[in-house]
C-alpha cells in the first residue's frame, strides 16, 4: 500500500509554495487563507518536519519544503495532464500553441498546412503570447525568444536570432556602403531598442543612430520596410521567407547574433503526449528546412490558385 498522507494538505502546501502565500493558494483552491494555513500546519505535524518559515510579511520555504515542492509540482502537472487525456478520449484532440503575433504570422502559419496534412485530427489552436507573456496553464507548448532559462520548463532550441537590415530591392540599390544608412529611415521596434546599435557597431558605423518610425512589433516594422518606408532590422526566422521570395533583400552580407535564440517550450511530462510529440517532431524538422524550399512550395500553391481562378472566370 502506498503511504499517501493527507492529500488535501499536500495540495494546499503545493499551491502555497508555488503561489508564495496562503492567500494565493486559497484563491486558487477556493478556500480561505486560514483554511490553507490549518491544512499545511496539520500536514507538517503528520510529516514531522517544518515546510515553511512563517515570517512577518511572507512565507519562506525550508530546505525540506523546497525539496517537497520541487517533486510535488511535476506530479500534480502530470496528474492534471493524465486526467485531461482520459476525459478527452472521445473529444476533439486539441493542441494549444502560445506564440508572439509576429512569429505566428511570419513563420508558423505559413507552414501550418504541412502539419495539418500530417495530423488532420489534431485541432491546432494558436494563442498569442509574446516574449513577456507567462507560459499559459492551457498551453501545450510555446515558442519564445530568449536565453533558454525558463524555470520549470524544458527549452529546446529551434533557431538562432541573427540580425540583418532588410529593405525593398529598389531601396537596396542606393545602399552600397554601410555609411549609406545615414540616408534612409531606420525603422525601429520598441521592445528591441538594442538591435540597431548592436548591428551598427559590428558594421563599424556606431555613430549612425536609428531615428526612423518606431513600431510595437517586428512584424509591423517589416511590413513598413516592404512598403518602402525605410530599412528595418530583420531577425531570423521572421525575414527568411521574404528574403527567399525576393520581397525583401539584405543589402549587406553582415549578420550579427542577437545573443538570444528561439526555443520550443513545454513541461517535461508532455513528452509522453502523442499530439505534442507529433508537433515537436514536426517543428524541429520545419525549423531546419531551408526557407527557399518553403517559398517555392508557397509559390507553386499561389500559381495553382491563380490558374484555377483563371479557368472559372465568367
Amino acid at each position: 500500500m502506498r503511504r499517501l498522507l493527507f492529500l488535501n494538505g499536500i495540495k494546499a502546501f503545493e499551491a502555497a509554495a508555488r503561489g508564495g502565500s496562503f492567500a494565493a493558494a486559497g484563491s486558487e483552491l477556493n478556500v480561505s487563507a486560514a483554511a490553507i494555513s490549518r491544512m499545511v500546519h496539520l500536514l507538517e505535524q503528520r510529516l514531522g518536519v517544518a515546510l515553511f518559515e512563517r515570517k512577518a510579511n511572507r512565507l519562506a520555504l525550508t530546505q525540506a519544503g523546497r525539496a517537497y515542492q520541487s517533486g510535488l509540482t511535476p506530479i500534480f502537472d502530470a496528474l492534471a495532464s493524465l486526467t485531461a487525456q482520459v476525459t478527452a478520449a472521445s473529444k476533439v484532440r486539441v493542441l494549444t500553441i502560445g506564440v508572439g503575433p509576429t512569429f505566428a504570422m511570419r513563420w508558423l502559419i505559413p507552414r501550418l498546412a504541412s502539419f495539418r496534412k500530417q495530423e488532420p485530427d489534431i485541432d491546432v489552436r494558436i494563442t498569442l503570447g509574446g516574449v513577456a507573456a507567462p507560459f499559459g496553464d492551457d498551453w501545450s507548448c510555446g515558442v519564445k525568444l530568449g536565453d533558454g532559462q525558463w524555470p520549470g520548463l524544458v527549452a529546446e532550441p529551434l533557431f538562432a536570432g541573427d540580425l540583418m537590415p532588410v529593405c525593398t530591392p529598389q531601396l537596396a540599390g542606393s545602399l552600397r556602403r554601410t555609411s549609406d544608412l545615414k540616408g534612409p529611415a531606420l525603422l525601429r521596434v520598441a521592445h528591441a531598442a538594442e538591435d540597431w546599435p548592436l548591428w551598427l557597431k559590428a558594421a563599424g558605423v556606431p555613430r549612425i543612430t536609428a531615428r526612423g518610425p518606431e513600431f510595437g512589433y517586428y512584424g509591423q516594422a517589416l511590413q513598413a520596410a516592404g512598403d518602402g518606408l525605410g530599412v528595418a532590422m530583420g531577425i531570423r526566422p521572421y525575414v527568411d521567407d521574404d528574403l527567399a521570395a525576393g520581397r525583401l533583400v539584405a543589402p549587406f552580407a553582415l549578420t550579427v547574433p542577437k545573443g538570444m535564440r528561439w526555443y520550443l517550450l513545454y513541461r517535461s511530462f508532455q513528452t509522453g503526449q502523442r499530439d505534442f510529440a507529433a508537433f515537436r517532431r514536426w517543428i524541429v524538422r520545419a525549423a531546419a528546412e531551408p526557407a527557399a524550399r518553403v517559398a517555392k512550395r508557397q509559390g507553386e500553391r499561389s500559381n495553382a490558385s491563380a490558374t484555377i481562378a483563371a479557368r472559372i472566370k465568367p
Side-chain angles (χ1 to χ4, degrees):
M1 290 289 292
R2 293 185 179 91
R3 189 186 177 207
L4 296 177
L5 292 172
F6 191 31
L7 287 177
N8 283 339
I10 292 173
K11 187 164 63 172
F13 161 72
E14 192 277 337
R18 183 165 34 82
S21 71
F22 292 146
S27 177
E28 178 180 326
L29 300 177
N30 294 314
V31 298
S32 68
I36 295 291
S37 178
R38 285 194 298 272
M39 285 190 284
V40 171
H41 182 66
L42 184 55
L43 176 65
E44 289 175 318
Q45 286 184 325
R46 295 187 181 189
L47 292 176
V49 295
L51 300 173
F52 286 115
E53 293 179 23
R54 291 157 174 82
K55 299 189 176 181
N57 297 315
R58 65 185 180 90
L59 290 175
L61 286 164
T62 63
Q63 184 175 355
R66 283 194 297 272
Y68 203 29
Q69 190 256 332
S70 67
L72 283 175
T73 296
I75 291 171
F76 279 121
D77 286 341
L79 181 60
S81 174
L82 177 60
T83 302
Q85 288 182 56
V86 171
T87 57
S90 61
K91 299 178 183 177
V92 176
R93 295 162 59 188
V94 176
L95 186 77
T96 302
I97 308 166
V99 294
T102 304
F103 188 88
M105 295 299 296
R106 291 200 156 252
W107 193 89
L108 182 58
I109 292 174
R111 291 162 174 76
L112 206 52
S114 69
F115 178 71
R116 292 282 294 152
K117 185 176 180 180
Q118 288 179 211
E119 300 289 343
D121 295 330
I122 298 178
D123 181 8
V124 177
R125 299 180 184 179
I126 296 175
T127 184
L128 297 185
V131 173
F135 192 92
D137 290 339
D138 62 332
W139 292 11
S140 306
C141 59
V143 178
K144 285 181 178 286
L145 177 67
D147 59 4
Q149 301 301 311
W150 284 276
L153 298 172
V154 178
E156 190 166 347
L158 293 175
F159 318 94
D162 293 336
L163 300 171
M164 73 203 77
V166 294
C167 61
T168 61
Q170 294 79 6
L171 180 54
S174 64
L175 301 175
R176 303 188 181 280
R177 298 178 298 275
T178 52
S179 58
D180 292 336
L181 287 169
K182 289 185 294 186
L186 303 186
L187 310 178
R188 299 171 294 151
V189 177
H191 64 78
E194 72 283 357
D195 285 359
W196 270 112
L198 183 65
W199 190 90
L200 291 167
K201 181 179 180 181
V205 284
R207 293 186 180 181
I208 296 178
T209 302
R211 300 185 185 278
E214 183 178 86
F215 299 90
Y217 301 101
Y218 280 110
Q220 296 168 332
L222 293 172
Q223 179 65 47
D227 290 335
L229 187 61
V231 183
M233 181 53 66
I235 180 172
R236 288 200 162 121
Y238 289 168
V239 296
D240 288 351
D241 291 351
D242 283 334
L243 293 174
R247 291 185 293 268
L248 293 172
V249 298
F252 307 106
L254 176 67
T255 62
V256 176
K258 184 176 173 67
M260 292 187 280
R261 297 182 67 88
W262 295 92
Y263 293 87
L264 174 66
L265 303 182
Y266 54 92
R267 300 179 183 90
S268 59
F269 67 83
Q270 288 171 308
T271 54
Q273 296 180 346
R274 61 172 182 163
D275 293 348
F276 168 71
F279 179 77
R280 179 188 176 198
R281 289 192 298 270
W282 172 82
I283 197 171
V284 169
R285 285 197 303 267
E289 185 178 18
R293 191 181 305 165
V294 176
K296 181 180 178 182
R297 282 204 309 268
Q298 292 170 343
E300 289 170 350
R301 286 199 296 268
S302 297
N303 292 337
S305 298
T307 301
I308 293 169
R311 288 175 180 170
I312 63 176
K313 281 183 180 179

